[in-house]
Amino acid sequence: GGCPAARDTLWVNMLPSPEANVTFEEDCFGSPTTFTNTSTSADPIDFFLWNLESGVTSAIESPTHTFSEPGIFDVELISIID
């Protein structure tokens, strides 16, 4: 009884992940902070997403941003190979 076994081969091409790297120049509060994207990848990076502060994002490769208040912020860069 039961169904016969079926077999298939699937080839998966695993690409190396991009390595996200950032440098930045900070200034006094009220002045823009310049973020320079120095990410590297063996394949072209297709998309960048920055989370700069709560509710503020950017898809620009190397954005500038003026923070809404003084403080310490977690800035996140996501680099994507499509």
Side-chain angles (χ1 to χ4, degrees), residues 2-60:
C3 299
R7 184 173 254 181
D8 195 3
T9 302
L10 176 65
W11 295 97
V12 177
N13 185 12
M14 299 300 293
L15 299 174
S17 297
E19 184 175 325
N21 289 303
V22 175
T23 61
F24 67 95
E25 293 180 28
E26 59 185 320
D27 210 334
C28 296
F29 173 69
S31 297
T33 299
T34 301
F35 297 93
T36 303
N37 183 347
T38 58
S39 298
T40 58
S41 174
D43 295 297
I45 298 173
D46 297 305
F47 185 75
F48 301 98
L49 177 63
W50 292 83
N51 293 311
L52 297 165
E53 66 177 303
S54 181
V56 179
T57 62
S58 176
I60 297 172

